[in-house]
């Protein structure tokens, strides 16, 4: 177990903001999860779970407590047949390494989520998704350390209450309760079928790709993303800064009356908040050191800001412009690193 002291949150989050955390502990096996929690409890400090910080924001005052990060590695095949595979993945693995591994073997289910930055452990927390796939489609179960009952346990996907960017791991009383150790996925041999998202379909058409094999979809998605999304190693951002809207049928009708395009599927009605930002003329505009990306309007790039206070000002100004124009209240997607009520 590696324990470091006084680590700036700006160095362990991709938006590169935030003052120091008292301690950062990297956990390399399940037993160390308990040791890390005991370390925090003995010091009477709150703890907070972090992955690579690609969806997390540090406050200017930092975090007076213990940041616990999952560095458990390993991609283990539990079973494999002609039809599919069950794989257990250490939460400290890089998400895209796992996607590459199963996609190269020809399994379908996560290929459209290629190149999403972050750790495997964080993937179920936000129920990450892209181009029509999300984690809830293929996750079987997670192994966790339950900090409330002080025990190791398994949670089945059906009990995770998955919805758009929502799970028991980030919502309600259970947010921050479980330290995710490993994730088990079930993937099938096969391929995804149209209809695809517009940008993916356009890429496939342009490159005359009609074989939608997991490898081809992974390559297409990777190339689309490379063209418009910032590489966290080079450019500071937290990915999509604002959430998209999931609407009821009545709300969707209302939005369409206002001229806002709604993406309707059999399961959901969605407004792409990036469209709102672009339509409001915000693409490429700067606010307090943050720029609304000129390639993908949902992304707020930290060009020169040093404080979370600047981010708050930028967020409020952008939200006001959107509210005044469309009557819709946009909300940030990344989570703030702070003490959770659970640890009180
Ligand atoms: C350029 C860019 C593009 C992105 N594109 C997408 C996209 O297409 N789709 C998408 O869904 N997201 C996207 N994101 C957001 C981000 O990649 C995902 O949310 C990812 O899962 C974050 O992983 P992480 O390890 O960095 O998580 P962190 O930011 O470190 O943590 C995220 C959440 O998970 C919790 N957590 C972390 N580890 C654990 C653990 N072991 N146990 C319990 N809870 C834990 C944290 O407390 C926090 O609530 C993008 C981000 C960037 C920077």
């Amino acid at each position: 177990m590696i324990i470091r002291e006084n680590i700036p949150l700006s160095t362990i989050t991709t938006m590169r903001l935030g003052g120091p955390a008292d301690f950062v502990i990297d956990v390399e096996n399940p037993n160390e999860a308990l040791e890390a929690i005991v370390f925090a409890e003995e010091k009477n400090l709150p703890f907070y779970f972090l992955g690579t910080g690609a969806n997390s924001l540090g406050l200017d005052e930092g975090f007076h407590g213990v940041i616990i990060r999952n560095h458990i590695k390993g991609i283990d095949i539990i079973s494999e047949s002609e039809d599919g595979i069950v794989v257990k993945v250490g939460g400290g693995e890089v998400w895209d390494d796992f996607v590459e591994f199963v996609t190269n073997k020809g399994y379908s289910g996560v290929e459209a989520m290629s190149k999403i930055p972050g750790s495997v452990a964080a993937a179920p927390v936000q129920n990450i998704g892209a181009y029509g796939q999300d984690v809830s489609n293929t996750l079987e179960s997670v192994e966790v350390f339950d900090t409330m009952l002080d025990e190791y346990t398994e949670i089945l996907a059906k009990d995770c209450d998955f919805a758009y960017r929502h799970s028991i791991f980030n919502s309600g009383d259970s947010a921050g309760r479980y330290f995710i150790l490993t994730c088990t996925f079930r993937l099938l041999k096969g391929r995804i079928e149209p209809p695809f998202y517009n940008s993916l379909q356009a890429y496939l058409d342009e490159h005359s790709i009609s074989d939608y094999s997991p490898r081809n979809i992974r390559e297409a998605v990777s190339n689309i993303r490379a063209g418009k999304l910032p590489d966290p190693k080079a450019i500071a951002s937290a990915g999509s800064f604002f959430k998209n809207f999931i609407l009821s049928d009545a709300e969707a009708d209302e939005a369409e009356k206002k001229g806002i395009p709604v993406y309707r599927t059999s399961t959901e009605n969605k407004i792409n908040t990036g469209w709102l930002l672009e339509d409001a003329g915000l693409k490429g505009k700067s606010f307090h050191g943050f720029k609304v990306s000129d390639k993908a309007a949902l992304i707020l790039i930290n060009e020169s800001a040093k404080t979370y206070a600047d981010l708050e000002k930028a967020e409020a100004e952008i939200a006001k412009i959107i509210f005044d124009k469309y009557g819709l209240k946009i909300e940030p997607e990344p989570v703030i690193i702070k003490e959770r009520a659970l640890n009180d």
Side-chain angles (χ1 to χ4, degrees):
M1 184 162 92
I2 300 162
I3 305 177
R4 291 180 298 147
E5 260 182 86
N6 209 21
I7 303 298
L9 294 176
S10 58
T11 62
I12 55 173
T13 54
T14 59
M15 189 61 116
R16 298 186 203 155
L17 295 175
D22 292 352
F23 296 95
V24 173
I25 301 184
D26 293 339
V27 163
E28 287 170 354
N29 60 58
N31 292 339
E32 289 183 357
L34 173 57
E35 287 173 40
I37 304 285
V38 169
F39 175 92
E41 283 171 355
E42 283 177 354
K43 291 203 156 18
N44 205 18
L45 288 173
F47 49 81
Y48 186 91
F49 305 141
L50 193 68
T52 70
N55 199 47
S56 299
L57 301 169
L59 294 171
D60 295 333
E61 64 261 36
F63 181 65
H64 182 42
V66 183
I67 301 276
I68 304 176
R69 302 194 299 183
N70 185 334
H71 278 211
I72 300 170
K73 300 286 185 193
I75 302 182
D76 299 318
I77 297 172
I78 304 296
S79 67
E80 190 168 13
S81 68
E82 273 181 18
D83 303 334
I85 190 171
V86 178
V87 208
K88 186 198 267 195
V89 193
E93 288 288 345
V94 172
W95 167 259
D96 193 54
D97 290 351
F98 157 63
V99 175
E100 184 179 31
F101 176 83
V102 286
T103 304
N104 279 345
K105 281 176 147 294
Y107 294 107
S108 175
V110 290
E111 62 273 35
M113 292 186 277
S114 292
K115 302 291 176 185
I116 297 181
S119 60
V120 166
V125 176
Q126 296 279 115
N127 186 21
I128 60 168
Y131 299 100
Q133 285 179 339
D134 68 35
V135 156
S136 72
N137 303 145
T138 47
L139 189 81
E140 282 271 292
S141 62
V142 290
E143 287 177 325
V144 300
F145 181 76
D146 179 346
T147 64
M148 197 171 255
L149 299 179
D150 277 342
E151 65 181 26
Y152 292 91
T153 185
E154 186 182 36
I155 303 176
L156 299 179
K158 69 177 177 52
D159 297 322
C160 291
D161 194 25
F162 284 126
Y164 172 70
R165 300 295 175 268
H166 172 101
S167 72
I168 57 165
F169 307 110
N170 69 359
S171 313
D173 290 345
S174 52
R177 167 173 171 176
Y178 302 104
F179 183 68
I180 297 174
L181 303 162
T182 66
C183 300
T184 298
F185 296 87
R186 180 183 296 273
L187 300 145
L188 297 176
K189 271 266 155 70
R191 50 200 62 208
I192 53 177
E193 294 295 338
F196 299 127
Y197 272 51
N198 291 346
S199 56
L200 179 55
Q201 186 64 61
Y203 181 96
L204 296 170
D205 291 345
E206 195 187 324
H207 293 82
S208 308
I209 298 168
S210 53
D211 172 3
Y212 308 133
S213 68
R215 267 177 203 243
N216 283 349
I217 295 294
R218 172 170 168 77
E219 195 182 321
V221 167
S222 301
N223 287 337
I224 295 168
R225 292 181 70 103
K228 65 176 186 184
L229 298 182
D231 173 0
K233 287 194 192 105
I235 296 172
S237 89
S240 299
F241 190 77
F242 295 104
K243 286 185 195 166
N244 290 317
F245 288 90
I246 305 296
L247 306 177
S248 66
D249 287 345
E251 289 167 331
D253 293 345
E254 203 52 41
E256 279 174 341
K257 271 189 216 148
K258 290 185 198 164
I260 301 171
V262 178
Y263 183 79
R264 292 178 190 255
T265 67
S266 54
T267 52
E268 65 182 25
N269 306 313
K270 186 156 113 183
I271 294 179
N272 177 359
T273 302
W275 183 91
L276 301 175
L277 296 165
E278 193 171 345
D279 190 60
L282 297 181
K283 229 176 175 183
K285 291 264 158 53
S286 289
F287 297 84
H288 304 278
F290 294 90
K291 184 169 127 181
V292 177
S293 167
D294 42 22
K295 294 189 183 134
L298 259 191
I299 300 202
L300 205 52
I301 291 171
N302 180 0
E303 285 194 314
S304 58
K306 295 278 176 282
T307 67
Y308 182 82
D310 286 329
L311 180 60
E312 267 187 320
K313 284 185 229 157
E315 181 189 321
E317 284 175 29
I318 295 169
K320 181 170 183 325
I321 293 169
I322 298 301
F323 187 78
D324 289 349
K325 192 163 166 61
Y326 308 101
L328 290 168
K329 222 172 144 195
I330 54 175
E331 285 182 10
E333 181 181 311
V335 278
I336 296 170
I337 299 172
K338 62 179 185 197
E339 185 173 356
R340 287 186 155 135
L342 180 72
N343 304 332
D344 284 345

